[in-house]
Amino acid sequence: MLRMITRPDRGHSGTARLWTASALSSGSTWVMQISLFIQVLQDSSPATLAAVELIGTVPALAFMMVAGTLADRFDVRRLAVGSMVAQAVCVLGMALFLDHGIWITAAFYGLQGLGNTLWPPARQQWLYGVVAPESRPAANARLGSVSGTMTVVGASLGGALAGWSPAGAMAVACALQVLAVVPLLAQARRPMPYAEPAASGASVPEPAAPMRKELTAGLRVLRELPLARSVVWIGIAWGCIGGAYDILLAAYATGHLGGGGAVLGSLYVADGVAVILGTVLAARFAVRRHLAAYTAAYVVQGLAWGAFFLAGHPVLAVALLGVMRLASGVVIALDTTVLLATVPAAVRGRVSSLHMTTYGAMARVSLALFGGLLTVCDVRTVGVCTGAASVVLGILWWCLRDREAQRSYPAAVAEHEPAAAAA
């Protein structure tokens, strides 16, 4: 994995610094959430935890489209650093109030989520500003490996620290968030040779468009971009399925597999490692194979997920989950590249935020939906059905894709944009 991050190409040092900042911030979030959840459950009911989770996540969903607009209009370097600093302040507030006021802590949790919404679109614009167009698929794949890496490292660290002291774990989360600023400050001193003027800090042309029109620009542009629109809708569909992933995994591991924490932990380790391997694999695909690989990954993901719920032995279940998350890693690595291949630079932040907003919203809806279904259906039935849905969605995506967009995709991915320095 280290070689994948540091392998020489145009903009590799910028990718490595953004990867490091992402990993530190993600590790902070894992430690923060686990310590918060443990603290809440020690003193309150699961219903209280659900309320805290809503307070922490719903404001971020509401603000995400605004965050994407800001990333398109202002200096992404300042937005990214500001996001990390704001999150560090909020996590510090959570550490100070964790033992003294759960609702004040929940309010800081919500503010931390708001600060975090600025990071993904700002990071994406920053990445595209320092990486040559032909190297962007590999750079996106490398950043995609953060998810798998921190599932293994962040969750393990968070569990160990929270078991020692939730307040102490929260302090460590704050320290990790502060450390995430360091690689960003180092990268901010480097030029952004491939950035558009707004992303590199130039003034927004006057007269600036009204904010309302800016917020809806991402939706309007999707009407003319069938490939990007298809990625958004399949993201909505998978959000409806994937929102209950953790619940289904935990229920099956502790129920039908008859395991405890060790089995569930093994499943999450397999999850993280497989996602990392999937992103490494995706980075090796030729651009002309991206769309076929994206489709195949959805199909394999669904087949392995359905088979996972038919396995009756923990070892077989771990192997099948590994196959499923290997395919997920391919999807994660290719998703951003496919989404943004035909999107103009001026609205990349908004389109990225729209994709994340719709996915996140449907994930929360599905969490409630599958929670209700599990009261009347067996977890195996629900799991097999969700796997079949992933297979169907992947096939539909391939059948309904725009043929012209498919033909122009390789050229769109490698299309050179004018460098800011040459403007």
Side-chain angles (χ1 to χ4, degrees), residues 8-93:
D9 61 18
R10 300 174 71 180
H12 71 94
S13 60
T15 305
R17 292 189 185 96
L18 292 174
W19 190 97
T20 302
S22 298
L24 289 168
S25 182
S26 178
S28 171
T29 300
W30 271 105
V31 174
M32 176 270 291
Q33 288 182 334
I34 292 175
S35 57
L36 175 63
F37 292 173
I38 288 178
Q39 180 69 21
V40 171
L41 291 175
Q42 284 178 352
D43 304 321
S44 306
S45 66
T48 301
L49 177 59
V52 169
E53 179 70 0
L54 285 173
I55 292 172
T57 57
V58 171
L61 277 175
F63 185 73
M64 198 168 286
M65 286 299 295
V66 178
T69 301
L70 295 176
D72 288 333
R73 288 170 62 101
F74 299 106
D75 189 334
V76 293
R77 293 165 293 191
R78 294 180 180 178
L79 288 176
V81 173
S83 170
M84 293 301 180
V85 172
Q87 290 182 75
V89 171
C90 292
V91 177
L92 176 61

Side-chain angles (χ1 to χ4, degrees), residues 239-240 243 359-371:
C240 186
Y359 174 85
M362 287 309 302
R364 281 152 184 80
V365 170
S366 75
L367 186 59
L369 173 64
F370 286 115

Side-chain angles (χ1 to χ4, degrees), residues 347-370:
V347 290
R348 280 197 195 116
R350 275 161 283 190
V351 171
S352 296
S353 290
L354 175 64
H355 185 33
M356 291 184 291
T357 299
T358 52
Y359 174 85
M362 287 309 302
R364 281 152 184 80
V365 170
S366 75
L367 186 59
L369 173 64
F370 286 115

Side-chain angles (χ1 to χ4, degrees), residues 45 61 67 82 95-96 126 135 152-153 181 196 242-243 261 310 319 324 383 393 411:
S45 66
L61 277 175
L96 294 175
W126 196 344
S135 299
V152 177
V153 178
V181 178
E196 291 294 305
L310 300 177
M324 181 263 182
L393 288 171

Side-chain angles (χ1 to χ4, degrees), residues 189-212:
R189 294 194 293 268
R190 304 297 182 94
M192 297 173 61
Y194 304 100
E196 291 294 305
S200 61
S203 299
V204 178
E206 295 293 342
M211 180 60 73
R212 179 182 61 80

